[in-house]
Amino acid sequence: MAEARVAARGEVRTVAHGRGYWADAFARLLRSPAGVAGLAIVIGLVVIALVGPLVIPWSYDHQDLPAVVAYGGPLPPGSPEHPLGTDALGRDLLARTVDGARVSLTVALVAQLVVIGIGVPIGLTAGWRGGKTETLLMRFTDIIGTFPDLLFIIMISAAVVETPFFGVMNGLLATFVAIGLIAWVGTARLVRAQTLALKQRDDIEAARAIGVPEGQIARRHILPQTMGPIAVAVSLGIPAAILAESTLSFLGLGVQIPRASWGSLIDSGIDNITRAPWLVFPPVIALGIALVGFTLLGDGMRDAFDPRTSRR
């Protein structure tokens, strides 16, 4: 009825496409308590990751060996120089936790770019072309999807880390490749389902009838309308990527020393749990906050882009 009244006044307003669509979704996100909480946590993490190294007087790899030797082991939290303490090598735990945030956020975002770069073209092509092309692409997707995610990521990461060229990248590139090569399956299936639904619409059929090239229709009409669900999938895929990166680093297959990762910090903290239990708390708390924040943001974005929500 609202759309009819707008049309009766002679106004033209696009809600489902372009800026109006995204502005409307963002407004609904801001009305969601979970979405706002998740957005605040994510912004806070990004600010800490960017500003932290500029404020903290110690770098992530600086060793305060005199203080450790004088104390006789890792410094406990509470000192003005090292508020969260140090590890056994005298490296500031606050600086290393912040560096772990930078690593985890970078890995998660780049891995999602890999996911989009692989999953979106495969899903769009399969859904638009149909026939044997769809069968071939989706069977390939099903084959990749049958592998246990964590096991497949560990296999790829171990193989890449052993390659001399990738080894100099300190494990970061290995983690990008490992997570991206397995996580695109869900995105491909999502884009294919959206494409199958969209290509049956009257405006798409009309464009095909007047001779608009199919590639142009797919790029300019189908793909933009799948960006909302893709954005939701990316926001929900980021916490999974962060957890996967932390797991790899915990197992020694992710980011390599001297760079810090929440997973490697947790591993180091567990090794010293009896004499320095404080080492495990900062990375565990930071990892938990990041997972909760991105999950809440993903849930809020899912509700914001839900078509049923837009009709309320």
Side-chain angles (χ1 to χ4, degrees):
M1 294 295 294
E3 294 178 356
R5 288 194 295 269
V6 171
R9 292 195 301 266
E11 299 178 10
V12 178
R13 184 177 64 179
T14 302
V15 176
H17 310 290
R19 293 180 58 185
Y21 174 68
W22 290 94
D24 189 49
F26 184 70
R28 288 197 299 272
L29 175 65
L30 295 181
R31 291 197 297 267
S32 169
V36 172
L39 183 62
I41 293 174
V42 169
I43 293 176
L45 288 173
V46 173
V47 171
I48 291 173
L50 295 177
V51 179
L54 304 177
V55 177
I56 301 173
W58 310 99
S59 64
Y60 65 88
D61 58 350
H62 177 80
Q63 295 178 271
D64 191 2
L65 291 177
V68 173
V69 172
Y71 184 78
L75 293 179
S79 66
E81 296 82 5
H82 306 285
L84 297 183
T86 69
D87 61 10
L89 298 178
R91 294 174 298 192
D92 185 77
L93 195 57
L94 176 60
R96 292 185 65 77
T97 302
V98 171
D99 187 61
R102 301 180 70 185
V103 168
S104 294
L105 292 176
T106 301
V107 169
L109 293 176
V110 175
Q112 291 306 304
L113 292 177
V114 175
V115 167
I116 293 174
I118 298 175
V120 171
I122 289 179
L124 182 64
T125 303
W128 180 253
R129 300 288 296 179
K132 294 182 179 180
T133 301
E134 179 184 14
T135 301
L136 178 63
L137 291 176
M138 297 316 297
R139 294 300 76 78
F140 172 70
T141 301
D142 292 339
I143 291 173
I144 299 298
T146 57
F147 287 96
D149 290 359
L150 183 58
L151 178 60
F152 193 61
I153 291 174
I154 291 175
M155 291 171 56
I156 296 174
S157 182
V160 174
V161 167
E162 293 299 325
T163 304
F165 173 76
F166 292 115
V168 301
M169 300 301 292
N170 211 18
L172 279 174
L173 189 56
T175 309
F176 298 158
V177 174
I179 298 176
L181 285 181
I182 191 65
W184 61 267
V185 172
T187 301
R189 290 171 175 166
L190 172 66
V191 174
R192 169 183 171 268
Q194 291 288 319
T195 303
L196 289 174
L198 290 170
K199 75 176 186 178
Q200 304 298 326
R201 290 176 39 165
D202 292 340
D203 55 341
I204 303 300
E205 292 292 343
R208 300 177 73 175
I210 64 176
V212 178
E214 294 197 354
Q216 182 176 334
I217 296 175
R219 291 192 307 270
R220 296 187 178 181
H221 299 277
I222 298 294
L223 182 59
Q225 297 184 63
T226 65
M227 296 309 296
I230 291 173
V232 176
V234 167
S235 65
L236 292 173
I238 287 178
I242 291 176
L243 185 59
E245 181 275 325
S246 298
T247 302
L248 288 176
S249 297
F250 181 83
L251 297 174
L253 297 173
V255 178
Q256 304 297 308
I257 56 175
R259 291 304 300 268
S261 168
W262 290 334
S264 61
L265 291 177
I266 293 172
D267 180 45
S268 176
I270 291 176
D271 291 340
N272 297 275
I273 193 69
T274 55
R275 63 170 181 161
W278 61 84
L279 293 177
V280 76
F281 295 127
V284 167
I285 294 173
L287 177 60
I289 291 174
L291 295 179
V292 170
F294 278 106
T295 301
L296 290 175
L297 178 60
D299 290 341
M301 291 185 64
R302 181 178 57 193
D303 294 339
F305 284 102
D306 189 346
R308 292 173 296 181
T309 306
S310 63
R311 291 196 296 266
R312 293 176 184 174

